[in-house]
Amino acid sequence: MTSTAPAHCPDLGTALAAWFTATARPLPWRSPDRTAWGVLVSEVMSQQTPVARVAPIWLDWMDRWPTPQAFAQAPTAEVLRAWGSLGYPRRALRLQECARVIVDQYGGEVPADEQALLALPGIGTYTAAAVMAFAFGRRSVVVDTNVRRVLARTVGGEALPSPSLTAAEMSRAAALVPADDASAALWAASSMELGAVVCTARAPRCDDCPVTALCAWRAAGYPADPHAARRRSQAWAGTDRQVRGKVMGALRAAHGPVPSAVIDLVWPDATQLSRCIAGLVEDGLIAQTGEAYHLPVEVG
DNA sequence: AAATCGGGGTA
DNA sequence: TACCCAGATTT
């Protein structure tokens, strides 16, 4: 295989490819009979949600709605219930919009074109690149939180990447992608897998790492995170996100409209609750009929 | 560049 | 408790 890797780490890609081929997790969307649509669904579900939580939902989802055509016609309320507690339920709405665009504009086939993918609802830089690599076996620059960390350590010599993705990071990542499609797709999968399984954020398993000999962070003596001072933990308790989640949870659990008097019980701060309800309605995640709220239902 | 948007598992 | 997770979109 050809490689564009710089001379100072000549076989990072080769070592990771061999390791990945031998040890890759049998994730359901990696099955030989996977479809491009299934890969796309798995990537959207995995945006900020650990794959271990995604897998069972994905299996049920693909059984119910195996194609963009089937999913495009699904009742939105059922889609949101099936999404369950994966989080960020707007992703489910966008995924359905995405399916409808694929049906209407691409004959029901996921486009094998990165720019076309980028234009789809809910598909950003990472997901478009991931679909190109994992669904179509095409060369792309796949940079997720795992790849960022792996490159920050092995190449950059730092404990963790900067808080937000930088242009310099993307350039470095792009320079490391092999030239041919098959090698590039394997590099994407293996560099992500290393970050997910071995080169983890909390307690990296360096003893089990296939590229310790090439790791700049290890060579430097595992220096502490240089960006630690600029990281801030994300608040949760008492936020609108928590309140929105409680409202969504109540409506998912019900199989019909829920009286507003019942919704009022999910959160004690009436001002915050009504702001969150209004936001959910605005986002199309819930709807109001009379004095009750319910998951959205398509109107004729 | 910073804010917003869920929720559960883990140390 | 705090941190993290195959990010995208809007301001």
Side-chain angles (χ1 to χ4, degrees):
Chain A
M1 87 166 81
T2 61
S3 173
T4 59
H8 65 269
C9 54
D11 37 18
L12 186 62
T14 303
L16 286 186
W19 168 80
F20 179 82
T21 301
T23 69
R25 296 167 295 172
L27 299 176
W29 45 88
R30 287 176 175 169
S31 163
D33 63 348
R34 70 185 176 281
T35 64
W37 173 245
V39 171
L40 190 156
V41 171
S42 79
E43 293 300 339
V44 171
M45 287 183 173
S46 300
Q47 291 165 358
Q48 295 292 283
T49 302
V51 297
R53 289 178 57 200
V54 168
I57 303 293
W58 184 90
L59 287 166
D60 172 64
W61 195 280
M62 297 310 294
D63 188 55
R64 295 176 69 174
W65 305 301
T67 64
Q69 290 87 342
F71 182 57
Q73 298 170 7
T76 302
E78 287 309 303
V79 169
L80 290 171
R81 284 199 182 89
W83 191 260
S85 60
L86 284 181
Y88 297 143
R90 294 192 292 197
R91 290 183 291 165
L93 296 184
R94 288 179 178 142
L95 187 56
Q96 192 163 38
E97 296 169 18
C98 181
R100 289 170 178 163
V101 174
I102 288 172
V103 169
D104 293 342
Q105 298 185 14
Y106 298 101
E109 299 292 332
V110 177
D113 177 272
E114 194 161 358
Q115 293 306 312
L117 289 167
L118 264 177
L120 294 171
I123 308 297
T125 306
Y126 161 75
T127 304
V131 170
M132 289 302 292
F134 305 143
F136 300 117
R138 298 289 304 280
R139 184 181 191 278
S140 63
V141 182
V142 176
V143 180
D144 76 325
T145 188
N146 292 304
V147 174
R148 292 189 66 211
R149 187 173 54 251
V150 166
L151 296 187
R153 288 175 178 164
T154 60
V155 181
E158 296 185 342
L160 291 171
S162 62
S164 56
L165 179 60
T166 65
E169 249 183 299
M170 282 302 290
S171 297
R172 181 168 70 189
L176 288 167
V177 178
D180 67 286
D181 285 326
S183 298
L186 187 53
W187 161 252
S190 57
S191 56
M192 280 180 63
E193 186 85 351
L194 187 76
V197 175
V198 172
C199 195
T200 55
R202 290 284 184 85
R205 301 167 53 195
C206 299
D207 290 344
D208 299 325
C209 181
V211 293
T212 48
L214 301 171
C215 181
W217 186 43
R218 177 185 180 89
Y222 299 115
D225 175 19
H227 313 98
R230 287 184 290 124
R231 297 185 196 284
R232 57 182 65 184
S233 62
Q234 41 188 335
W236 170 244
T239 60
D240 283 7
R241 284 156 69 192
Q242 184 184 22
V243 178
R244 287 166 58 105
K246 285 186 176 297
V247 173
M248 289 301 295
L251 296 191
R252 277 199 310 270
H255 283 270
V258 178
S260 56
V262 173
I263 295 298
D264 288 343
L265 301 177
V266 308
W267 195 251
D269 182 338
T271 299
Q272 184 180 19
L273 180 59
S274 83
R275 176 176 71 240
C276 289
I277 289 172
L280 289 168
V281 171
E282 177 70 18
D283 291 342
L285 285 164
I286 70 174
Q288 181 176 15
T289 299
E291 292 299 309
Y293 294 97
H294 50 89
L295 295 178
V297 177
E298 291 81 353
V299 179

